[in-house]
């Protein structure tokens, strides 16, 4: 799994692009790091178009991730 982040400062946007397989634990590492940044952007997009599917990510995992 590979997550690449790109920041568009003009639009206050961080784009996370996910490549390969992903687990909820790996997603959470990047998610938490984003919010621990002293100056996170106002907007965030997660791009899963290059991912190869998920490793047992449940509805409950996604709800926890979103909250």
């Amino acid at each position: 799994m590979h997550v690449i982040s790109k920041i568009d400062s003009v639009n206050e946007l961080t784009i996370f692009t996910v490549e390969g397989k992903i687990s909820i634990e790996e997603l959470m590492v990047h998610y938490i790091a984003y919010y621990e940044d002293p100056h996170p952007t106002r907007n965030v997009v997660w791009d899963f178009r290059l991912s190869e599917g998920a490793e047992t990510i449940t509805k409950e995992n996604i709800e926890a991730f979103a909250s």
Side-chain angles (χ1 to χ4, degrees):
M1 191 269 323
H2 199 69
V3 177
I4 300 167
S5 63
K6 178 181 172 186
I7 297 175
D8 176 350
S9 300
V10 173
N11 294 305
E12 279 288 307
L13 174 65
T14 299
I15 302 169
F16 290 100
T17 303
V18 179
E19 298 177 356
K21 287 196 178 276
I22 187 110
S23 70
I24 193 67
E25 291 82 14
E26 292 167 313
L27 280 175
M28 290 305 290
V29 166
H30 294 280
Y31 185 76
I32 290 168
Y34 167 78
Y35 280 106
E36 287 180 343
D37 186 298
H39 303 287
T41 59
R42 185 170 289 212
N43 304 295
V44 180
V45 171
W46 287 84
D47 181 357
F48 290 92
R49 291 177 294 173
L50 300 176
S51 71
E52 295 174 7
E55 297 176 357
T56 319
I57 296 177
T58 65
K59 176 185 173 214
E60 290 78 18
N61 294 143
I62 297 299
E63 288 172 347
F65 182 73
S67 68

